[in-house]
C-alpha cells in the first residue's frame, strides 16, 4: 500500500516507508542517496477507473495518495448513465476514501443512443458531473451499452453539451471488425472526430489516452481550449513489442492497444514540448490477476501506484523536467475551467522497486512494471 503524509501545503508519497523515488532506467541498481527533490503542485488524474465494490476499496488509496482530483470513468455494470447514478457512485467513492482525505472525484456520464438532452442539464446543475464519456459500442471494457450512431442518435445531446459547456471525453476508436486494430484510432479521427469538430466547433472534446502520431497531429491542429488530450504512462513508455517480449504479456494489454515506436516517440515529443493541449490521464484500469491472465484476458493496465514516477522519468529523460508540472497539474484544470490545486507534492530521485503483486482479500492485482526497479 502507498503511505502518504499530508500537510496543508505538501504531500510526500511512497510505498511503505519508501518515498516516491525516480531513476533513469528500469535496470536494477544499488540503492544510493537521494540526488534530487522536485516539488510541484499536486497533480490531478483526468482519466481514472476506480471500479466499484471490493476493487474500489482496494485501489482508491493509491490514487488518493498521489492525486487531488480525478475524472472517474462511468463504465461500470450497469453503466453510470444518469446524474442520479453518478451521485450514488460518488457517494460510494467518498465512503471508500481514507480518513481525512481531501480527494475529490469528478463524475462523468456514460453516453448512450438513448441519452436525453435534459440529462445534460441535470448533470450541469448537479455540481458533481463534469463530463460525458463517449464509448463506441464494443470498443473496450464494459462498452457494450455505448453509442452505435453518434450523429444519427446523439446530435441533440451534443448540442446541449455545447450550451452547458460540458466536455465530451472520447474513446477514439472505430469498432468495425474489418479495420485493423492498430488503425482504429486513425480511422476514428478521420471518420468521426474531424466531422464532429467541424459540425460543432464550440464543443469541448478530450481525446482520451492518445496512442498515435495521427492523434498528436490532430490535437495540435485544433483550436486551443476546445480540443485536448490525455496521455497515459504506458503509451509514453511502451510500444507494441511490450506485448510479446518473453512471451505473451497480458499485463501490458490495454485498449487502445500499444502502437509502433514511431508513435510512442511522437507522443513523448508532444507531451514534453510544453503544449497546453496535453495533460495527465493515467487510464489506470485495475483487474484481478485471474481476469488478466485468463484465456480471454481483460484490457487495462493498473498504473495508479507508479504513474507519477513514470511520468517524471519520461520528462527527465527528455530534459524537460521544468515542463512536468504544467502537464501534471496545470493543463488539465485549465482546460476544464477549474482552479489549480494549492497543495504540493515532492518527488525524490532514487531507485525503488515496484511490488511484484498487490494482494487483497478478493485476489491479486499486478501493477504496471511489477518487480522492476525505477
Amino acid at each position: 500500500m502507498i503511505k502518504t503524509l499530508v500537510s496543508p501545503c505538501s504531500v510526500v508519497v511512497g510505498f511503505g516507508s519508501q518515498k516516491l523515488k525516480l531513476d533513469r532506467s528500469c535496470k536494477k541498481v544499488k540503492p544510493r542517496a537521494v540526488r534530487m527533490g522536485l516539488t510541484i503542485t499536486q497533480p490531478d488524474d483526468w482519466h481514472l477507473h476506480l471500479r466499484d465494490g471490493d476493487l474500489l476499496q482496494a485501489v482508491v488509496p493509491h490514487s488518493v495518495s498521489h492525486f487531488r482530483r480525478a475524472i472517474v470513468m462511468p463504465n461500470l455494470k450497469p453503466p453510470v448513465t444518469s446524474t442520479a447514478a453518478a451521485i450514488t457512485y460518488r457517494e460510494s467513492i467518498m465512503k471508500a476514501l481514507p480518513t481525512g482525505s481531501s480527494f475529490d472525484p469528478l463524475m462523468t456520464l456514460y453516453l448512450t443512443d438513448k441519452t436525453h438532452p435534459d440529462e445534460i442539464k441535470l448533470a450541469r446543475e448537479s455540481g458533481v458531473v463534469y463530463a460525458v464519456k463517449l464509448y463506441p459500442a464494443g470498443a473496450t471494457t464494459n462498452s457494450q451499452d455505448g453509442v452505435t450512431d453518434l450523429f444519427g442518435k446523439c446530435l441533440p445531446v451534443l448540442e446541449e453539451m455545447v450550451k452547458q459547456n460540458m466536455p465530451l471525453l472520447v474513446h477514439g476508436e472505430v469498432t468495425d471488425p474489418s479495420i485493423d486494430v492498430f488503425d482504429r484510432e486513425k480511422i476514428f479521427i478521420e471518420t468521426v472526430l474531424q466531422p464532429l469538430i467541424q459540425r460543432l466547433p464550440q464543443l469541448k472534446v478530450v481525446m482520451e489516452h492518445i496512442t498515435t502520431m495521427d492523434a498528436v497531429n490532430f490535437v495540435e491542429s485544433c483550436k486551443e481550449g476546445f480540443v485536448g488530450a490525455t496521455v497515459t504512462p504506458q503509451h509514453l513508455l511502451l510500444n507494441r513489442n511490450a506485448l510479446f517480449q518473453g512471451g505473451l504479456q497480458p499485463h501490458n494489454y490495454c485498449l487502445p492497444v500499444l502502437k509502433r515506436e514511431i508513435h510512442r516517440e511522437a507522443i513523448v515529443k508532444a507531451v514534453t514540448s510544453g503544449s497546453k493541449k496535453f495533460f495527465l490521464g493515467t487510464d489506470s484500469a485495475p483487474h484481478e490477476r485471474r481476469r488478466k491472465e485468463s484465456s480471454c484476458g481483460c484490457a487495462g493496465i493498473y498504473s495508479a501506484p507508479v504513474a507519477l514516477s513514470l511520468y517524471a522519468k519520461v520528462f527527465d529523460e527528455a530534459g524537460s523536467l521544468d515542463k512536468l508540472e504544467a502537464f501534471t497539474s496545470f493543463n488539465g484544470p485549465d482546460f476544464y475551467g477549474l482552479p489549480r490545486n494549492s497543495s504540493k507534492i515532492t518527488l525524490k530521485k532514487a531507485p525503488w522497486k515496484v511490488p511484484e503483486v498487490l494482494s487483497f482479500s478478493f485476489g491479486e492485482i499486478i501493477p504496471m512494471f511489477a518487480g522492476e526497479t525505477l
Side-chain angles (χ1 to χ4, degrees):
M1 298 295 287
I2 290 177
K3 183 167 69 176
T4 306
L5 305 177
V6 183
S7 69
C9 62
S10 67
V11 182
V12 181
V13 295
F15 279 98
S17 61
Q18 287 184 304
K19 293 184 176 67
L20 186 63
K21 299 171 182 177
L22 315 175
D23 194 21
R24 289 184 180 274
S25 72
C26 291
K27 296 179 181 178
K28 298 185 185 304
V29 293
K30 293 181 179 180
R32 57 184 180 273
V34 172
R35 297 193 308 253
M36 185 192 71
L38 179 66
T39 298
I40 61 174
T41 300
Q42 189 174 10
D44 303 302
D45 187 344
W46 298 98
H47 185 119
L48 176 64
H49 296 271
L50 285 177
R51 312 302 192 200
D52 54 4
D54 289 340
L55 265 179
L56 168 63
Q57 297 285 338
V59 304
V60 73
H62 293 159
S63 292
V64 168
S65 295
H66 296 84
F67 303 105
R68 175 65 178 79
R69 296 171 291 198
I71 285 282
V72 180
M73 293 296 106
N75 57 331
L76 304 181
K77 286 186 176 181
V80 181
T81 58
S82 70
T83 301
I87 292 172
T88 299
Y89 183 28
R90 186 177 188 276
E91 290 172 351
S92 297
I93 296 170
M94 297 302 290
K95 291 178 181 178
L97 297 180
T99 302
S101 170
S102 59
F103 181 78
D104 187 10
L106 311 178
M107 309 311 294
T108 60
L109 296 186
Y110 185 115
L111 185 64
T112 74
D113 292 342
K114 298 179 180 180
T115 303
H116 195 277
D118 287 345
E119 196 62 56
I120 305 304
K121 297 177 184 177
L122 290 173
R124 175 55 71 198
E125 293 169 358
S126 73
V128 301
V129 176
Y130 289 83
V132 175
K133 181 63 183 282
L134 165 61
Y135 290 105
T140 189
T141 302
N142 296 343
S143 63
Q144 61 273 14
D145 297 304
V147 172
T148 63
D149 183 359
L150 183 66
F151 295 106
K153 297 181 178 180
C154 299
L155 192 57
V157 172
L158 298 174
E159 292 171 339
E160 186 62 36
M161 289 174 64
V162 173
K163 295 178 184 177
Q164 300 296 333
N165 195 31
M166 180 73 73
L168 178 70
L169 314 183
V170 176
H171 181 107
E173 293 188 288
V174 295
T175 56
D176 183 341
S178 68
I179 303 298
D180 189 288
V181 67
F182 294 102
D183 296 328
R184 285 166 55 164
E185 185 172 272
K186 179 178 184 292
I187 300 302
F188 183 90
I189 292 170
E190 296 171 353
T191 62
V192 180
L193 210 46
Q194 287 180 337
L196 175 63
I197 299 304
Q198 291 170 1
R199 188 158 188 171
L200 296 172
Q202 299 304 306
L203 179 66
K204 297 192 76 166
V205 176
V206 178
M207 191 172 186
E208 302 280 20
H209 42 51
I210 61 169
T211 68
T212 61
M213 183 185 302
D214 308 274
V216 168
N217 293 338
F218 172 74
V219 172
E220 289 182 336
S221 73
C222 293
K223 185 177 179 181
E224 188 172 300
F226 287 93
V227 177
T230 57
V231 184
T232 73
Q234 60 261 33
H235 293 113
L236 285 169
L237 284 161
L238 304 177
N239 61 38
R240 64 188 191 179
N241 288 342
L243 290 166
F244 310 108
Q245 289 173 333
L248 189 63
Q249 300 295 330
H251 297 288
N252 287 339
Y253 171 54
C254 60
L255 289 173
V257 70
L258 300 172
K259 302 298 196 299
R260 290 181 181 272
E261 176 64 10
I262 58 171
H263 296 295
R264 188 197 68 81
E265 291 175 348
I267 297 170
V268 170
K269 183 178 179 180
V271 163
T272 59
S273 70
S275 170
K276 297 179 180 180
K277 295 181 177 181
F278 305 95
F279 38 95
L280 186 158
T282 64
D283 192 21
S284 182
H287 291 288
E288 291 180 58
R289 181 176 188 168
R290 59 191 175 192
R291 297 193 65 202
K292 289 289 290 179
E293 298 178 1
S294 69
S295 60
C296 186
C298 297
I301 295 176
Y302 187 53
S303 64
V306 298
L308 275 186
S309 179
L310 298 179
Y311 285 123
K313 170 183 168 66
V314 170
F315 278 77
D316 189 20
E317 293 180 347
S320 300
L321 272 177
D322 59 315
K323 299 181 176 68
L324 176 66
E325 185 176 34
F327 172 76
T328 62
S329 312
F330 297 161
N331 297 348
D334 291 354
F335 183 89
Y336 277 83
L338 296 172
R340 297 174 178 179
N341 294 324
S342 58
S343 53
K344 302 290 182 180
I345 192 166
T346 298
L347 301 147
K348 301 286 187 177
K349 187 171 183 179
W352 67 284
K353 186 175 180 180
V354 182
E356 296 274 0
V357 63
L358 302 171
S359 298
F360 304 97
S361 60
F362 58 83
E364 297 177 335
I365 300 174
I366 305 298
M368 186 177 179
F369 282 140
E372 297 284 350
T373 297
L374 302 182

